[in-house]
Each structure stands twice: as structure tokens, then as C-alpha cells.
């Protein structure tokens, strides 16, 4: 009330007016910031809902109840777009929003198909399009701060393709979370072995049927034993768990390596030796204390058992590419062999024909030679003439 002269029977001073003005500005800024946070929260909610809807449509896993609910949501979205209002997931906040925030909510885009969010030490990725964020030039501070990476509504096969980038961009990422990523078989965990280090793994049952397997945790501990994993789904890993994992799946690695073609096994051994050689080069010349501090990490780098290294995972797309490549190779080999067989058959037929004709040909050659040299003088003149003609 700028025109107020007195308050509680006392005259209002200029100092009090200034203090009141400062307080009013702070309250206004606080209110704007609160509205801004509400706006961002609503936009995040809408984006995640759209990503989830797209994911469900892709996976063909929408039940009748979910479909009906989706139609209701769709009708609500259509209604809010038609009448220029947006429905919030937080009703108590909606009631407190003023006309300015309501107007701002009208402009929210509900067509985003992915979301990237860094909150504290956690990088959250929603939707396959979010994987492109790994190509960004992240600041050293942000990249070093991220220790947890969460994947939601993304095909695991797509995640596998960016794991090398994840290892480079966020070297301190120790905890991986997967929700609605279509983890359906134990073999998929093999792909995580290419990471630098993993201390914790969280697999949400929603959208990951692999957790329905009784022994899935033991397989993870067995295949990723070189990471010395600390927790799985929030539960501490004990020494007994590691022993049980080795008992259950130790024979699997032995069988896999024994059945693997020799050339493939040699290539895997070659990769392991390259890692060891690289580690020796990096630690050469360093102080003993530094080497000792990095000893545990070096074991993770080069400690992957060779037998376990034979347990790989191939994505469907890569597998299909390999199948096409194999088909092309088979086609080429078949044509090449057919040409060789055809050529060999023709040579054999010519040889058989020669064997039949040779006796008569030999007699005729001998007869012609005898008749040619029968007259010695004329033969000598003929030979001299041929020599002269050649000169």
C-alpha cells in the first residue's frame, strides 16, 4: 500500500518503505522461482508420460485397462489443448498457480520423445533419443560428478551400442539403473563387461523380465566378477554369493571357451594381452605409491577371466547384419566352388579325350617325322631355308 501514511498510529518512514520494498521484491522473486520450478516439473511429467506412451506402443504391451485409461488421458490431453489449460499431476499446486503460470503452462510442448536430466550425481535418460546426449561436450565438472546413470524406456540393445561412450564421457559412473529396458535374458548382462567399472547394479522388475529368473543375480556376479560388485538391487554382495555364483556358472565359461573356434579364442586372448600391455605402459615410471593406489582399478581392467570373456552378447541388429554377411559369403563360396568344379570337370574331359586320341596321334606324328627326314638332303635344305627365313 504505497499511499499509506500511518500504520498503528505511527508515521511511516522512508527507511521502512525501503525495507518493505526489498522484502516485497524478494517475495516476488521467490514466487516467480516457485512458479518456474512448478512449470519445469509439469513439463518433465508431460515428457515422461509421452515417452512412456510411445514405449508402450512400441512394445505392444498395453492391456485393455491400460488402453482405456490411455484413452481417458488422451481425451484429457485433447481437452486441455482445446480449452487452453494444462492438467497438472499435482492438484494442490494447480490450485495455487496464478494466471501467469497457467498461461505459461499453455505453451508447454507435449511432443518431446526423450528427456535428459542431471540431478545431483545422477544422470537420468528417458527414451532412446536421450542416448544422443552422450555425444555432447559435457563439462569436466559435470562429467566427473555423475556416478549414477539411469536408463528408462530404452531398448537394452540400443544401450549396448553407447556403452563405450558412457565409459569415456562419465569415467566415474559406478551405479547403473535399468527400468523398462527389455532385459529378457542372462546373456545381455555380458555386454556390461566392456565398461570400465561397475560397483552397483539396479534392475527394476518393471519392463525387465530377466529378474524373474531365480539365478539372475548369481549370473551377474559370475560374469562381472572382475568388477568386485558391491550391491545388486540395493542388497550387499557377500563372499558366499560370489562362491555360489562360481559354483553355479563356472562350468558354463569352461564349456563356452572349449567350444569356441580357435581363431576366435586367439583374438580374445589378444585383446586381453593388449590391455595388460597398455596398463604396463601407463604405470611405467610412476611412483610405487601411485601404482599401489591404482592396483585395484588395474585388476578390474585386466582381471577379466579369459573363459568369461568368451561369454559375449550380440545385439539383434548386429546379429542380423552378421547373418546377411554370412549369407553373402556362402553365396560367394558356392559360386567360387562351382566355377572350380566346372573348370576341373572340363580339364578332366579334355584329359580323357586326349587319352583316347593319343595312340593314333602318336602314330601319325612318328609317321610324319619319318617321311619328313626320309630324304636327308631335301630335309637339310628345308631346315636351312627355315633358319634363313627366321633371320
Amino acid at each position: 500500500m504505497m499511499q499509506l501514511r500511518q500504520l498503528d498510529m505511527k508515521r511511516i518512514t522512508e527507511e521502512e518503505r525501503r525495507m518493505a520494498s526489498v522484502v516485497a521484491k524478494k517475495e516476488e522473486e521467490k514466487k516467480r522461482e516457485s512458479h518456474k520450478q512448478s512449470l519445469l516439473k509439469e513439463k518433465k511429467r508431460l515428457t515422461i508420460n509421452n515417452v512412456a506412451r510411445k514405449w508402450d506402443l512400441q512394445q505392444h504391451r498395453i492391456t485393455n485397462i491400460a488402453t482405456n485409461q490411455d484413452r481417458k488421458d488422451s481425451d484429457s490431453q485433447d481437452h486441455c489443448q482445446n480449452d487452453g489449460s494444462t492438467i497438472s499431476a499435482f492438484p494442490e499446486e494447480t490450485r495455487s498457480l496464478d494466471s501467469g503460470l497457467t498461461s505459461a503452462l499453455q505453451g508447454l510442448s507435449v511432443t518431446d520423445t526423450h528427456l535428459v536430466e542431471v540431478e545431483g550425481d545422477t544422470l537420468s535418460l528417458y527414451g532412446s533419443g536421450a542416448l544422443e546426449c552422450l555425444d555432447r561436450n559435457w563439462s569436466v565438472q559435470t562429467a566427473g560428478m555423475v556416478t549414477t546413470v539411469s536408463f528408462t524406456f530404452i531398448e537394452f540393445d540400443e544401450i549396448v551400442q553407447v556403452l563405450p561412450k558412457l565409459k569415456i564421457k562419465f569415467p566415474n559412473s559406478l551405479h547403473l539403473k535399468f527400468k523398462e529396458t527389455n532385459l529378457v535374458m542372462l546373456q545381455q548382462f555380458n555386454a556390461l563387461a566392456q565398461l570400465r567399472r561397475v560397483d552397483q547394479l539396479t534392475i527394476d522388475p518393471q519392463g525387465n523380465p530377466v529378474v524373474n529368473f531365480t539365478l539372475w543375480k548369481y549370473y551377474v556376479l559370475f560374469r562381472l566378477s572382475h568388477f568386485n560388485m558391491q550391491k545388486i538391487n540395493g542388497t550387499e554382495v557377500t563372499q558366499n554369493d560370489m562362491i555360489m555364483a562360481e559354483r553355479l556358472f563356472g562350468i558354463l565359461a569352461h564349456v563356452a571357451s572349449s567350444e569356441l573356434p580357435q581363431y576366435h579364442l586367439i583374438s580374445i586372448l589378444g585383446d586381453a594381452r593388449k590391455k595388460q600391455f597398455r596398463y604396463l605402459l601407463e604405470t611405467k615410471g610412476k611412483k610405487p605409491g601411485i601404482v599401489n593406489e591404482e592396483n585395484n582399478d588395474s585388476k578390474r581392467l585386466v582381471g577379466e577371466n579369459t573363459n568369461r570373456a568368451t561369454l559375449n552378447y550380440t545385439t539383434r541388429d548386429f546379429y542380423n547384419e552378421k547373418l546377411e554377411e554370412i549369407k553373402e559369403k556362402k553365396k560367394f563360396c558356392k559360386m567360387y566352388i562351382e566355377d572350380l568344379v566346372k573348370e576341373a570337370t572340363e580339364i578332366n574331359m579334355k584329359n580323357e579325350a586326349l587319352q583316347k586320341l593319343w595312340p593314333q596321334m602318336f602314330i601319325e606324328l612318328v609317321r610324319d617325322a619319318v617321311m619328313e627326314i626320309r630324304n636327308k638332303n631335301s630335309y637339310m635344305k628345308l631346315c636351312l631355308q627355315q633358319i634363313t627365313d627366321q633371320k
Side-chain angles (χ1 to χ4, degrees):
M1 300 174 65
M2 302 301 295
Q3 303 300 323
L4 191 64
R5 301 284 182 172
Q6 291 185 352
L7 179 64
D8 292 338
M9 302 301 292
K10 293 182 181 179
R11 186 175 181 81
I12 299 174
T13 65
E14 290 300 322
E15 181 64 23
E16 288 175 331
R17 290 184 186 280
R18 283 195 296 269
M19 290 180 61
S21 178
V22 170
V23 172
K25 287 181 179 179
K26 288 183 178 179
E27 287 295 330
E28 187 66 25
E29 290 177 359
K30 185 178 179 180
K31 185 178 181 181
R32 282 200 298 266
E33 183 63 24
S34 176
H35 289 180
K36 180 181 178 182
Q37 293 300 323
S38 298
L39 180 64
L40 292 175
K41 188 182 294 185
E42 180 67 7
K43 183 174 182 180
K44 175 184 174 181
R45 185 192 72 84
L46 291 174
T47 300
I48 292 177
N49 282 350
N50 285 333
V51 175
R53 185 176 291 106
K54 181 181 178 182
W55 171 264
D56 285 337
L57 290 174
Q58 288 177 343
Q59 303 305 315
H60 302 287
R61 292 189 294 107
I62 303 177
T63 60
N64 291 333
I65 297 177
T67 303
N68 294 334
Q69 185 61 40
D70 188 68
R71 286 175 181 172
K72 292 180 181 178
D73 293 341
S74 210
D75 293 338
S76 299
Q77 291 291 345
D78 291 339
H79 176 69
C80 77
Q81 291 175 15
N82 289 333
D83 63 10
S85 62
T86 304
I87 297 176
S88 173
F90 313 97
E92 66 280 3
E93 293 182 6
T94 304
R95 289 193 297 268
S96 65
L97 297 180
D98 61 9
S99 59
L101 181 57
T102 304
S103 177
L105 286 175
Q106 294 176 12
L108 282 180
S109 170
V110 293
T111 59
D112 294 335
T113 58
H114 67 273
L115 175 67
V116 179
E117 181 183 42
V118 178
E119 186 175 358
D121 62 352
T122 301
L123 170 65
S124 300
L125 307 177
Y126 298 85
S128 59
L131 297 177
E132 298 177 2
C133 79
L134 297 179
D135 292 325
R136 296 179 185 173
N137 293 324
W138 292 87
S139 66
V140 177
Q141 182 180 0
T142 303
M145 180 178 61
V146 172
T147 60
T148 301
V149 181
S150 174
F151 300 95
T152 308
F153 303 123
I154 308 175
E155 284 282 352
F156 185 79
D157 282 4
E158 296 183 31
I159 298 174
V160 171
Q161 299 174 18
V162 301
L163 288 179
K165 296 179 182 179
L166 182 66
K167 179 172 60 175
I168 296 172
K169 293 287 186 178
F170 303 99
N172 296 327
S173 57
L174 307 176
H175 185 188
L176 296 182
K177 295 182 177 181
F178 299 92
K179 181 179 180 180
E180 291 283 5
T181 56
N182 269 348
L183 271 164
V184 296
M185 56 184 174
L186 299 179
Q187 188 183 9
Q188 290 173 295
F189 289 116
N190 299 343
L192 300 180
Q194 61 183 299
L195 291 171
R196 182 175 179 270
R197 181 181 172 184
V198 177
D199 283 0
Q200 294 188 52
L201 188 65
T202 301
I203 311 296
D204 195 294
Q206 187 175 345
N208 296 308
V210 72
V211 300
N212 295 324
F213 298 151
T214 306
L215 304 179
W216 76 270
K217 292 183 180 180
Y218 292 114
Y219 183 80
V220 170
L221 293 175
F222 164 75
R223 182 61 185 89
L224 307 179
S225 61
H226 57 294
F227 287 152
N228 295 323
M229 198 169 296
Q230 304 300 312
K231 290 183 179 180
I232 296 182
N233 279 16
T235 304
E236 293 281 349
V237 175
T238 65
Q239 188 62 32
N240 290 335
D241 292 333
M242 299 300 298
I243 294 173
M244 180 60 71
E246 186 65 32
R247 287 179 179 175
L248 289 170
F249 296 102
I251 189 64
L252 176 64
H254 174 72
V255 172
S257 60
S258 62
E259 294 296 327
L260 201 67
Q262 187 175 3
Y263 72 90
H264 195 176
L265 185 60
I266 291 174
S267 67
I268 293 176
L269 290 174
D271 291 340
R273 287 170 183 167
K274 287 177 184 177
K275 291 181 181 179
Q276 293 176 356
F277 183 66
R278 190 185 310 119
Y279 170 69
L280 292 175
L281 289 178
E282 291 174 354
T283 57
K284 187 177 180 180
K286 290 185 178 181
K287 295 180 180 180
I290 298 177
V291 175
N292 290 334
E293 289 175 3
E294 297 179 351
N295 189 40
N296 291 334
D297 192 50
S298 68
K299 287 181 180 179
R300 288 187 177 93
L301 285 172
V302 301
E304 185 178 8
N305 185 280
T306 303
N307 288 344
R308 288 175 173 82
T310 61
L311 299 172
N312 297 317
Y313 174 64
T314 303
T315 63
R316 286 190 292 268
D317 291 340
F318 186 74
Y319 180 70
N320 292 333
E321 290 178 5
K322 281 293 182 182
L323 286 180
E324 290 298 324
E325 184 179 346
I326 291 173
K327 288 180 181 178
E328 291 296 326
K329 288 181 178 179
K330 284 183 176 180
K331 184 178 179 180
F332 171 78
C333 291
K334 183 179 180 181
M335 293 176 61
Y336 185 71
I337 295 299
E338 287 178 352
D339 291 341
L340 289 178
V341 170
K342 183 178 179 181
E343 185 178 353
T345 302
E346 291 177 353
I347 292 174
N348 185 62
M349 291 176 62
K350 292 177 181 179
N351 185 46
E352 290 180 354
L354 178 62
Q355 293 300 325
K356 293 179 181 179
L357 297 175
W358 177 246
Q360 183 62 30
M361 290 175 61
F362 183 76
I363 294 174
E364 292 178 357
L365 289 172
V366 172
R367 183 192 63 191
D368 293 343
V370 171
M371 292 178 63
E372 191 175 8
I373 64 174
R374 183 174 53 180
N375 188 334
K376 189 175 182 180
N377 291 331
S378 60
Y379 179 69
M380 291 173 64
K381 288 181 180 179
L382 179 62
C383 290
L384 289 172
Q385 185 63 37
Q386 291 177 349
I387 294 173
T388 303
D389 293 341
Q390 289 178 356
K391 291 182 179 180

